[in-house]
Amino acid sequence: WVALIGPPNAGKSTLLNALIGQKVAIVTSKPQTTRNQIVGILSRKDAQVVFMDTPGIHQLRGRLNKMLLQTAWQSMNAADALIVMLDGDLYIRKPDLLDRDIAPLVEPIAAETRPVVVVVNKIDLFRDKSKMLPLLERLSAMWPKAEVFPASALNKDGMDHLLRLIVGYMPEGPALYPEDQISTLPVRFMTAEIVREKVFNKLRQELPYSTAVDIEQWEEEEGRDQVIVNAVIYVARPSHKSMVIGKGGATIKEIGIEARKDIQELLEKRVHLELWVKVREGWTEDLGFMRSLGLSPDE
């Protein structure tokens, strides 16, 4: 078991997908997209590695953010090895942000006795690689027992090296999952995540963080090789609802077209997708509602 941890928007979900070789976690440009422990399973002839993608480690307040932190720390405690994911491009451009972003991790990682790999991600975003050296030296001095190396999860640079390291750290034992299983997530949850990804990617920075998706109907039509899915997109304010729907319903239609394509690839069958938008004010502070969405771990 390997936990992927780090600040928000470091590229953990992109790394997970690159390591597995298939899309397991949604990827957006918006920080704190991952809200659950997303488990991806890599099976090879010589090894099986279970990766746990986690919400970004941060110091924000609120019940939803507290739940995200709890999920991340639980994953870290269950792992045989840790991957700390950092946005190398950000900290090369703005080195003063590093201490702020990794403050919750400095002491726990320094005290670790388990193998730790610090992946300095997004090296594809800058040309002058000499600027990277001060950052690598700073991280090596901070965590001398960790393996530190640069990579690009998006371009899959360094992935073979990373996998060799990780497999070498794993304890010997029997495989935990069938070799054709790539995740422990239910397909309904993964379907809701795909819709949420398309909402975020379509609206970018315009849409606030407080958006959730729930699958209200799931009906598999026997003999037609088709699944009927009704999904509700929850937003926190009426103004957010109009943003998601768009003028004349154009935005929600585009979200549906893009989501249906990915869902059909996931399910390997035809999908009839209906999307609805509902306002639920203050849902990020409503533990009962978050639990109904599968977001809140046991307290």
Side-chain angles (χ1 to χ4, degrees):
W1 292 80
V2 179
L4 307 180
I5 61 174
N9 219 26
K12 296 183 293 297
S13 297
T14 302
L15 178 67
L16 176 65
N17 294 337
L19 292 171
I20 301 300
Q22 291 180 251
K23 185 168 184 174
V24 178
I26 68 173
V27 177
T28 82
S29 60
K30 203 171 186 69
Q32 288 298 100
T33 300
T34 300
R35 291 176 177 166
N36 295 64
Q37 179 194 93
I38 309 297
V39 177
I41 305 164
L42 174 68
S43 295
R44 313 193 322 184
K45 290 183 178 180
D46 62 332
Q48 184 176 82
V49 185
V50 186
F51 294 96
M52 298 176 286
D53 184 18
T54 65
I57 300 291
H58 58 86
Q59 302 183 73
L60 301 177
R61 298 180 179 180
R63 283 191 171 182
L64 176 59
N65 288 311
K66 180 181 176 183
M67 179 273 294
L68 297 179
L69 276 177
Q70 185 179 349
T71 299
W73 289 120
Q74 285 175 350
S75 299
M76 183 174 169
N77 292 336
D80 296 300
L82 307 175
I83 294 177
V84 179
M85 196 77 169
L86 300 176
D87 184 339
D89 175 60
L90 174 64
Y91 301 132
I92 286 172
R93 290 185 291 106
K94 300 180 180 180
D96 55 307
L97 296 182
L98 179 63
D99 289 338
R100 181 202 69 181
D101 289 353
I102 67 172
L105 288 171
V106 173
E107 291 186 6
I109 296 301
E112 268 300 331
T113 57
R114 295 170 291 181
V116 177
V117 181
V118 180
V119 176
V120 181
N121 191 30
K122 304 186 183 182
I123 63 168
D124 53 297
L125 295 181
F126 52 89
R127 294 181 180 179
D128 188 354
K129 298 300 189 285
S130 65
K131 293 182 179 180
M132 184 169 49
L133 189 57
L135 175 61
L136 299 182
E137 291 177 342
R138 187 177 173 188
L139 292 169
S140 295
M142 186 183 302
W143 296 317
K145 293 183 290 183
E147 180 82 24
V148 180
F149 72 94
S152 169
L154 183 64
N155 293 345
K156 300 185 179 179
D157 292 341
M159 294 302 102
D160 290 341
H161 179 197
L162 180 59
L163 275 176
R164 284 195 296 272
L165 274 174
I166 292 299
V167 169
Y169 291 145
M170 292 297 95
E172 291 189 5
L176 300 175
Y177 299 97
E179 64 179 19
D180 60 346
Q181 185 174 344
I182 65 167
S183 180
T184 59
L185 297 171
V187 291
R188 287 178 66 142
F189 176 84
M190 295 180 75
T191 296
E193 286 287 271
I194 287 171
V195 174
R196 192 163 64 94
E197 175 189 61
K198 303 311 177 187
V199 171
F200 280 154
N201 285 343
K202 184 64 184 173
L203 295 167
R204 300 289 177 179
Q205 300 303 320
E206 300 172 37
L207 188 69
Y209 175 58
S210 51
T211 303
V213 177
D214 187 32
I215 304 299
E216 285 203 335
Q217 180 184 0
W218 182 285
E219 183 179 343
E220 301 195 21
E221 294 188 320
E222 296 182 8
R224 295 190 62 186
D225 199 34
Q226 175 173 276
V227 179
I228 297 175
V229 179
N230 286 356
V232 177
I233 301 168
Y234 285 101
V235 293
R237 297 180 181 177
S239 60
H240 301 167
K241 179 177 180 179
S242 61
M243 289 167 57
V244 175
I245 294 174
K247 187 175 181 179
T251 302
I252 192 72
K253 181 178 180 180
E254 292 178 15
I255 291 169
I257 291 172
E258 294 177 11
R260 184 170 61 249
K261 180 176 178 291
D262 281 11
I263 296 168
Q264 287 182 159
E265 290 181 4
L266 171 68
L267 302 179
E268 297 183 336
K269 59 181 63 178
R270 290 186 298 122
V271 171
H272 177 78
L273 176 65
E274 294 279 350
L275 298 179
W276 307 89
V277 186
K278 295 182 180 180
V279 178
R280 189 180 181 100
E281 297 183 2
W283 73 263
T284 59
E285 298 298 313
D286 186 340
L287 284 176
F289 181 67
M290 287 193 287
R291 288 194 183 99
S292 73
L293 297 176
L295 291 176
S296 182
D298 294 333
E299 293 191 323

